[in-house]
Amino acid sequence: MEKDKKREFMSKAIVLADGNVKSLKGGPFGAVVVKDGQIVGKGSNQVTVNNDPTAHAEVVAIRDAAKNLGTFDLSGCEIYSSCEPCPMCLGAIYWAHMDKLYYAATKDDAAKANFDDSFIYKEFALPKEDRSIPSVQMMREDAVKVFDEWNKEENKVPY
């Protein structure tokens, strides 16, 4: 894809972020999903307007693209984000099987605006018992039986 087209897509993501700030509908983040040179999904941060802590721009854009394309597998797509994705959004990008990520501002730029994800990265590196949110495993045997059933199912839709 030509450089000007990529800049156009990133500009769209940045405009979505700016519009979100001006409308007071959420944080300063925007994203677009592109397939075959066309925008197939777009999103801006909707955390506060929807009372949804997972409604980050990238997740909103991924949901929009998946709905518009009628698939949960976004192979062949690229995402343009106004900012380097947080750990949750980066995970969503991987789960969606996207081909490439482009981003503008860095996580350090976001931290200067009080959107600091460094504590999450630090938490992930800690042993479970040392994390600030306690993690308690229970009923493993019952849950493993469900995985066993999944593995036996012949008509499952793998993802």
Side-chain angles (χ1 to χ4, degrees), residues 33 40-42 60-71 74 77:
V33 175
V40 295
K42 58 185 177 179
V60 173
I62 288 168
R63 290 173 181 164
D64 189 43
K67 180 181 174 186
N68 291 336
L69 295 173
T71 182
L74 298 181
C77 294

Side-chain angles (χ1 to χ4, degrees), residues 63-145:
R63 290 173 181 164
D64 189 43
K67 180 181 174 186
N68 291 336
L69 295 173
T71 182
F72 55 82
D73 184 347
L74 298 181
S75 297
C77 294
E78 301 175 337
I79 189 165
Y80 292 77
S81 178
S82 66
C83 186
E84 185 175 3
C86 75
M88 176 185 69
C89 293
L90 189 57
I93 291 165
Y94 275 93
W95 274 112
H97 304 286
M98 301 186 106
D99 289 3
K100 197 170 221 178
L101 159 68
Y102 296 91
Y103 65 91
T106 67
K107 62 185 177 183
D108 296 324
D109 297 323
K112 291 176 188 171
N114 294 315
F115 293 96
D116 190 356
D117 297 325
S118 63
F119 74 96
I120 297 173
Y121 290 103
K122 290 175 187 169
E123 285 282 306
F124 286 168
L126 293 173
K128 291 176 190 167
E129 60 273 7
D130 294 338
R131 294 178 184 166
S132 62
I133 297 176
S135 230
V136 180
Q137 183 180 18
M138 56 187 284
M139 298 181 66
R140 178 175 179 259
E141 295 80 15
D142 294 337
V144 169
K145 288 177 188 173

Side-chain angles (χ1 to χ4, degrees), residues 27-60:
F29 303 96
V32 297
V33 175
V34 174
K35 183 173 179 125
D36 299 326
Q38 299 294 318
I39 294 175
V40 295
K42 58 185 177 179
S44 57
N45 182 284
Q46 303 292 305
V47 170
T48 57
V49 73
N50 288 338
N51 293 317
D52 180 353
T54 69
H56 290 198
E58 296 89 343
V59 171
V60 173

Side-chain angles (χ1 to χ4, degrees), residues 16-28:
L16 286 167
D18 186 52
N20 224 34
V21 170
K22 289 177 177 155
S23 69
L24 299 175
K25 289 187 176 178

